[in-house]
Amino acid sequence: MRLTTTRYRGLGGRLTALALAGVLLTLPGCGGGDSGGGGEAGGPVTLRFSWWGNEDRAKLTQKAIDAFQAANPGITVKPEYSDFNGYFDKLATGVAANDAPDVITLGGAYPREYGDRGALLDLAEVSGELKTDKIDKAALSNGNFEGKQYGVPTGVNAFGVVVNPKVFQAAGVPLPDDNTWTWDDYQRIAQQVGKAAPKGTYGSEDPTSSDALDLFARQRGESLYTEDGKIGLTEQTLTDWFTMTTAMRDSGAAPPAAMTSELAGQPSPEQTLMGRGLAGMQLDWTNQLGSLRSASGSELRLLRAPGESAATKPGMWLQASQIYTISARTKHPKEAAKFLDFLVNSPEAGKITLANRGIPANSDVLAAVKSSLPKDEAASGDFIAAVTPKVGPALVIGPTGSTESVKILERVNAEVLFNRLSPADGAKRFLKGLNSAIK
């Protein structure tokens, strides 16, 4: 869920250079001096709550807010949401102007970036109002940096492969056995599907994303980032990845470079090849299954990532789908924490939002809502339950600057797929760009 391609629906975005500069200039003086312990003399409190999403998410979120306000009549929650593409730039601008929302939804490396800059509250300060003992530990670690818990997960996701059985059936190719398949199998199967399926249909979308690279590297005992904030991905692993993806392009297993480049800038499920019924396989997050099923009109399935059974170490992991955080500048930290406690720990809230922000990370909430989950979310929940005993340790979240990996990888991948860079040179270019970003 760290950032992946611009399509990633669980994290996302990037800070503009101008907004980043503003954050760096204004945050050193915001170490909580403006924070207060609540409303004046127990008076009414208004909390601003920011998040990204569509109208469906907005309606569900408002219902949860209404339920919280009914139980807490002295607290009003004002939602502030936007679509995925503009959310992080808008947030950065607000933080830079000392106008951050009280409760902020983040994802990927953003909790670490904002936490390192002093923009987020250490949740240890509100541990009396916000409990975390029933929350999945791997997902909880996604909001913990340098020993400080800056955020709590909205839910849990896993990164695997979405497959369209209709496309496989049309091509006369059996579905892969995800208990045994390798990356070589993935290429071979994608090529078979691409050759036999109707014209304009591909065995796989181009699989390149920072999450896919991390999974590929973890299977080799590496990782995109190390615990001390360095790059843990070797040049050879990157070269092998680009060698695989260019071979898939050449064989017709994946789309030509021009199509992949065009798709990289289209974040909605409806615009992907999988969402349009034109791809047999796509690496993606479990929380995208419902949207992709709806867009494609097909009963899509989730499979374990290739290479897991033969890997040096498991590459798959459990990821917080999004992270709820509290601004360090909030004047109402206890009320903000009380609101978060309701969102992540209340079965009442869970029954409203269900799996809209991932499978509930709180075990009690999951048990309470499991029978109510819609078919698509239930399928995601079953998949996560099945892979949980087999996944690797929690992901190492990238250091400050690592959110730029999305755009760096997008540019380098295009250069490689258009044959302007060899796989080896693409590996060098990506590592150089990422090193510069995190420094």
Side-chain angles (χ1 to χ4, degrees):
M1 102 72 160
R2 134 139 87 266
L3 295 168
T4 178
T5 66
T6 51
R7 285 205 310 265
Y8 183 51
R9 277 72 78 180
L11 303 176
R14 64 185 179 92
L15 298 174
T16 63
L18 178 60
L20 262 176
V23 171
L24 288 169
L25 286 171
T26 59
L27 285 179
C30 77
D34 291 339
S35 296
E40 295 180 8
V45 166
T46 297
L47 300 173
R48 293 166 55 206
F49 171 35
S50 72
W51 48 274
W52 69 87
N54 57 20
E55 287 298 321
D56 289 339
R57 176 171 290 172
K59 291 176 183 177
L60 292 174
T61 303
Q62 188 59 56
K63 287 182 180 179
I65 289 173
D66 291 343
F68 173 77
Q69 291 177 154
N72 300 273
I75 305 175
T76 299
V77 179
K78 179 183 177 182
E80 299 178 2
Y81 74 97
S82 62
D83 63 34
F84 174 83
N85 288 332
Y87 177 80
F88 287 91
D89 286 339
K90 179 182 178 182
L91 176 62
T93 301
V95 172
N98 293 331
D99 189 34
D102 299 276
V103 176
I104 306 169
T105 306
L106 296 171
Y110 282 111
R112 185 170 191 168
E113 291 211 2
Y114 279 108
D116 285 349
R117 295 187 173 104
L120 303 180
L121 184 73
D122 180 353
L123 298 184
E125 297 182 25
V126 289
S127 59
E129 290 74 29
L130 176 57
K131 304 300 182 185
T132 60
D133 55 305
K134 292 295 183 71
I135 297 177
D136 179 86
K137 295 300 184 290
L140 194 63
S141 70
N142 295 160
N144 189 299
F145 311 101
E146 306 298 330
K148 294 183 179 180
Q149 192 71 44
Y150 287 117
V152 291
T154 66
V156 179
N157 279 331
F159 190 67
V161 178
V162 179
V163 298
N164 189 333
K166 281 186 179 179
V167 172
F168 274 80
Q169 185 176 14
V173 177
L175 290 175
D177 179 356
D178 66 345
N179 287 313
T180 60
W181 70 333
T182 65
W183 286 102
D184 286 340
D185 292 329
Y186 187 86
Q187 295 178 69
R188 175 180 53 78
I189 293 168
Q191 182 178 357
Q192 290 175 342
V193 172
K195 283 187 174 181
K199 185 178 180 181
T201 302
Y202 298 90
S204 168
E205 294 203 17
D206 177 76
T208 304
S209 71
S210 55
D211 290 312
L213 284 179
D214 214 337
L215 187 150
F216 190 69
R218 282 162 61 97
Q219 290 178 343
R220 298 179 171 206
E222 302 174 14
S223 61
L224 187 49
Y225 302 105
T226 62
E227 292 286 357
D228 59 354
K230 303 289 194 306
I231 295 176
L233 190 63
T234 64
E235 194 174 300
Q236 185 59 57
T237 292
L238 267 170
T239 300
D240 291 346
W241 177 267
F242 286 134
T243 299
M244 177 183 74
T245 58
T246 51
M248 291 177 66
R249 172 207 62 193
D250 292 341
S251 69
M259 182 177 291
T260 293
S261 182
E262 179 184 354
L263 290 169
Q266 299 179 357
S268 69
E270 294 80 8
Q271 293 172 309
T272 64
L273 292 179
M274 180 62 66
R276 290 151 54 194
L278 299 177
M281 297 182 289
Q282 173 177 303
L283 271 76
D284 214 326
W285 292 93
T286 51
N287 70 333
Q288 293 311 298
L289 182 66
S291 297
L292 289 168
R293 278 182 169 180
S294 177
S296 66
S298 299
E299 195 77 359
L300 308 181
R301 290 179 52 184
L302 292 165
L303 300 180
R304 290 174 72 202
E308 288 290 276
S309 59
T312 302
K313 294 181 178 180
M316 294 180 66
W317 70 94
L318 295 183
Q319 173 86 19
S321 48
Q322 297 167 16
I323 297 284
Y324 288 138
T325 67
I326 298 175
S327 169
R329 297 190 69 92
T330 181
K331 294 180 180 180
H332 311 294
K334 290 186 177 180
E335 288 83 355
K338 194 172 185 178
F339 176 53
L340 287 194
D341 188 76
F342 178 79
L343 291 179
V344 300
N345 293 327
S346 165
E348 182 182 3
K351 289 177 181 178
I352 294 171
T353 58
L354 295 173
N356 185 265
R357 287 178 168 89
I359 300 301
N362 180 302
S363 55
D364 289 346
V365 175
L366 178 58
V369 307
K370 193 170 183 181
S371 62
S372 302
L373 289 175
K375 182 179 180 181
D376 299 336
E377 283 78 2
S380 296
D382 289 343
F383 177 77
I384 289 174
V387 301
T388 293
K390 304 173 185 178
V391 299
L395 197 73
V396 177
I397 301 298
T400 299
S402 62
T403 50
E404 289 298 312
S405 66
V406 176
K407 291 299 181 183
I408 295 169
L409 183 57
E410 187 178 308
R411 289 193 297 267
V412 172
N413 190 48
E415 294 293 295
V416 171
L417 291 179
F418 279 108
N419 288 325
R420 293 192 285 260
L421 287 175
S422 68
D425 289 339
K428 291 184 176 71
R429 178 78 62 86
F430 176 74
L431 292 175
K432 181 180 179 180
L434 191 54
N435 264 312
S436 296
I438 65 176
K439 285 180 180 178

